[in-house]
Amino acid sequence: IAILGSIPLFSVIFMLVTQGGARLDLEAVTGLPPAGFEMGGGFGNAIIGTLVMVAIASVISVPFGILAAIYLAVLGPHSKLAGVSRFVAKTLTGFPSILAGVFTYAVLVVSFGYSALAGGVALSVLMLPTVVLAAEEAMKQVPQRMKDAAFGMGCTRSQVIWKVVLPTGLPGILTGVMLAVAGAAGESAPLLFTALFSNYFLTEVMEPTASLSILIYNFSAMPFENQIELAWAASLVLVLIVLVFNILARLIGQPKV
């Protein structure tokens, strides 16, 4: 059953490698999108735009998510506020991504225009509940005897959190962060309302920017073979970016023996 369930995954990867790998070269990952019947080109601006917006989203969601998880798992796990917060976080995990884009559009885009910052904020709304729930669960897995031992040695509650709970729960926390990053990197609907698209490299965060997901969406519907090939190559790059994030998370979060 597990092998049957993995067939769709490996079939998609196989198609990406065969279709996208044939077009993946230095020009593709560093060039700018071609226009119309132009040949060549690439999606270097989309790679940079995606990484910048995911970085913005991570800077916003990861600190707030971990702080919220500390309260839910350690400081007030049985309080009414914690119960409401868990319910809201679980509800937000099923929150339609396009609504995050509409929300950010109303809050930022209407006043300041389309920008990479608005795209990052929209992605942070989607990342936050995943970070909160994963980090809380990781902190709950820290053995109670370790915390009791730290309290017995005279540690304050803050010291127990920073010296025991967070280091011990780091692998689980990083796994949650990487899952959130992987999901955010592939989002397209929120970026249509916030970052829009651009055929040029990003120079400042307050201007529209390209992203891999939107570029794939745009190019896959074009009647030009060159753009369709670039869409396949961009899909492969997007998968590789997610894979790299996950490998780094495993390496950094691996417990020290």
Side-chain angles (χ1 to χ4, degrees):
I1 295 298
I3 294 173
L4 290 175
S6 64
I7 289 176
L9 171 64
F10 286 109
S11 63
V12 169
I13 294 176
F14 176 77
M15 284 192 298
L16 290 177
V17 172
T18 55
Q19 298 284 342
R23 183 58 192 274
L24 193 60
D25 54 24
L26 184 61
E27 182 185 10
V29 298
T30 59
L32 290 172
F37 290 99
E38 288 184 4
M39 298 302 294
F43 42 84
N45 60 330
I47 295 175
I48 293 176
T50 298
L51 295 178
V52 168
M53 287 188 287
V54 170
I56 293 172
S58 299
V59 168
I60 297 172
S61 63
V62 172
F64 283 104
I66 293 177
L67 289 175
I70 290 173
Y71 178 81
L72 296 179
V74 181
L75 300 180
H78 305 297
S79 65
K80 291 183 178 179
L81 178 59
V84 173
S85 300
R86 287 192 194 94
F87 174 77
V88 172
K90 292 176 181 178
T91 302
L92 284 175
T93 56
F95 193 64
S97 60
I98 194 170
L99 295 184
V102 173
F103 166 76
T104 310
Y105 177 87
V107 174
L108 288 178
V109 176
V110 170
S111 301
F112 303 102
Y114 296 100
S115 64
L117 177 63
V121 171
L123 295 180
S124 70
V125 174
L126 299 174
M127 289 177 60
L128 185 59
T130 302
V131 175
V132 171
L133 295 175
E136 180 194 4
E137 192 60 33
M139 294 178 194
K140 284 182 177 179
Q141 298 302 317
V142 177
Q144 183 63 38
R145 63 179 181 274
M146 294 181 64
K147 293 181 280 188
D148 292 340
F151 283 123
M153 294 173 64
C155 294
T156 64
R157 190 161 58 172
S158 298
Q159 290 174 326
V160 171
I161 292 172
W162 294 109
K163 299 294 185 180
V164 177
V165 176
L166 287 179
T168 307
L170 183 61
I173 295 172
L174 282 177
T175 299
V177 170
M178 289 302 107
L179 285 173
V181 168
E187 286 290 348
S188 57
L191 303 183
L192 288 170
F193 288 89
T194 53
L196 205 59
F197 193 75
S198 173
N199 287 323
Y200 305 99
F201 283 103
L202 180 68
T203 57
E204 59 181 31
V205 296
M206 293 307 296
E207 65 182 16
T209 185
S211 61
L212 285 170
S213 56
I214 301 300
L215 182 137
I216 294 167
Y217 172 78
N218 290 339
F219 279 14
S220 62
M222 288 186 175
F224 308 112
E225 187 65 26
N226 183 47
Q227 277 81 342
I228 293 175
E229 291 176 356
L230 286 175
W232 279 107
S235 301
L236 178 59
V237 169
L238 185 56
V239 170
L240 292 176
I241 289 174
V242 174
L243 178 62
V244 168
F245 279 135
N246 279 277
I247 292 175
L248 289 176
R250 297 288 293 183
L251 294 176
I252 296 173
Q254 190 170 0
K256 302 295 188 296
V257 179

